[in-house]
């Protein structure tokens, strides 16, 4: 009996077969050069105990399992962290100076315990989870904000004013106190010649 049209036999595989892993090429977190997994005996000989400290997870790892070294920066990461860094999102643009930023897992020492507040969503995160950082502007962005589609622009239609509040006032989103609408020349000095970031839509305005 002939098989039906379009039939294709499933290739046989050994029970212990595992697909070959895709080669990871994580970026060095200092110079951003792409690194290759190494098990070179000469390199492993640099670790007499057979262990090394990963500069990402800070754990003691077995050198013979493979490592990603950057000889230029004396930076190294383990196999697991290398795979994770390879799957990090693509570069983004700084929200202030338009510099191209790549994701990393470390921040300058001024950031206590490697924690930061994302300048897009305002949430606190750990640098070890991934961060985009601009050294010139101290601008930071979490990975979640790079995966979230941009929100719609806020409606320009007049919004209803709470009962008992003047039409040129709006309630504070934190304490609900009535806030008057300010324009030049009544603005604080720091806003007269600079842009400000709206705490509701996070856009920049003058």
């Amino acid at each position: 009996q002939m098989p039906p049209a379009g039939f294709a036999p499933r290739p046989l595989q050994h029970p212990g077969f595992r697909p070959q892993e895709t080669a990871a090429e994580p970026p060095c977190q200092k110079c951003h050069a792409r690194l290759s997994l190494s098990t070179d005996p000469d390199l492993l000989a640099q670790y007499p105990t057979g262990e090394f400290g990963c500069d990402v997870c800070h754990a003691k790892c077995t050198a013979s399992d493979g490592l990603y070294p950057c000889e230029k920066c004396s930076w190294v990461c383990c196999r697991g962290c290398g795979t994770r860094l390879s799957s990090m999102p693509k570069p983004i643009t700084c929200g202030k100076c338009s510099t191209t930023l790549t994701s990393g897992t470390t921040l300058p020492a001024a950031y206590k315990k490697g924690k930061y507040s994302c300048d897009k969503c305002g949430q606190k995160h750990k640098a070890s989870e991934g961060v985009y950082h601009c050294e010139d502007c101290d601008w930071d962005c979490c990975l979640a904000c790079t995966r979230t589609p941009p929100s719609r622009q806020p409606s320009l239609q007049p919004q209803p004013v709470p009962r008992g509040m003047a039409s040129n006032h709006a309630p504070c989103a934190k304490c609900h106190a009535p806030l008057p609408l300010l324009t030049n020349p009544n603005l604080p000095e720091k806003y007269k010649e600079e842009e400000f970031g709206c705490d509701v839509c996070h856009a920049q305005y003058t």
Side-chain angles (χ1 to χ4, degrees):
Q1 185 178 358
M2 297 295 292
F7 171 79
R10 180 179 299 177
L12 295 177
Q13 294 180 351
H14 189 275
F17 170 80
R18 291 184 180 179
Q20 185 176 2
E21 295 182 4
T22 303
E25 292 185 342
C28 169
Q29 296 300 283
K30 290 185 176 180
C31 67
H32 306 295
R34 290 290 175 176
L35 308 176
S36 299
L37 182 68
S38 177
T39 54
D40 181 21
D42 293 335
L43 177 64
L44 300 184
Q46 299 178 20
Y47 306 98
T49 63
E51 293 183 334
F52 69 96
C54 174
D55 288 322
V56 177
C57 65
H58 306 293
K60 290 291 183 181
C61 305
T62 304
S64 59
D65 289 342
L67 62 157
Y68 292 93
C70 180
E71 296 181 3
K72 175 183 176 182
C73 304
S74 297
W75 185 91
V76 64
C77 79
C78 65
R79 190 166 192 157
C81 287
T83 301
R84 183 165 59 86
L85 288 174
S86 297
S87 62
M88 288 284 193
K90 295 181 179 180
I92 65 169
T93 301
C94 172
K96 288 186 176 180
C97 68
S98 300
T99 299
T100 300
L101 307 176
T102 56
S103 60
T105 56
T106 57
L107 285 171
Y111 290 78
K112 295 182 179 180
K113 297 182 179 180
K115 295 181 179 180
Y116 69 97
S117 294
C118 175
D119 287 314
K120 279 195 171 184
C121 66
Q123 300 295 317
K124 291 188 178 296
H125 300 274
K126 294 180 180 179
S128 58
E129 299 171 351
V131 58
Y132 290 95
H133 172 71
C134 179
E135 296 182 356
D136 296 331
C137 308
D138 284 334
W139 185 87
D140 304 298
C141 179
C142 67
L143 301 188
C145 283
T146 65
R147 302 189 186 106
T148 304
S151 59
R152 295 182 180 180
Q153 292 294 327
S155 173
L156 298 180
Q157 297 298 324
Q159 301 297 313
V161 178
R163 182 177 299 179
M165 188 176 295
S167 60
N168 63 340
H169 284 59
C172 172
K174 291 185 176 180
C175 67
H176 308 293
L179 305 176
L181 177 65
L182 298 180
T183 57
N184 273 323
N186 299 321
L187 287 172
E189 288 297 328
K190 66 177 182 178
Y191 294 135
K192 288 185 177 181
E193 296 181 359
E194 298 180 1
E195 292 184 340
F196 70 93
C198 174
D199 288 324
V200 177
C201 67
H202 303 293
Q204 296 290 121
Y205 294 96
T206 55

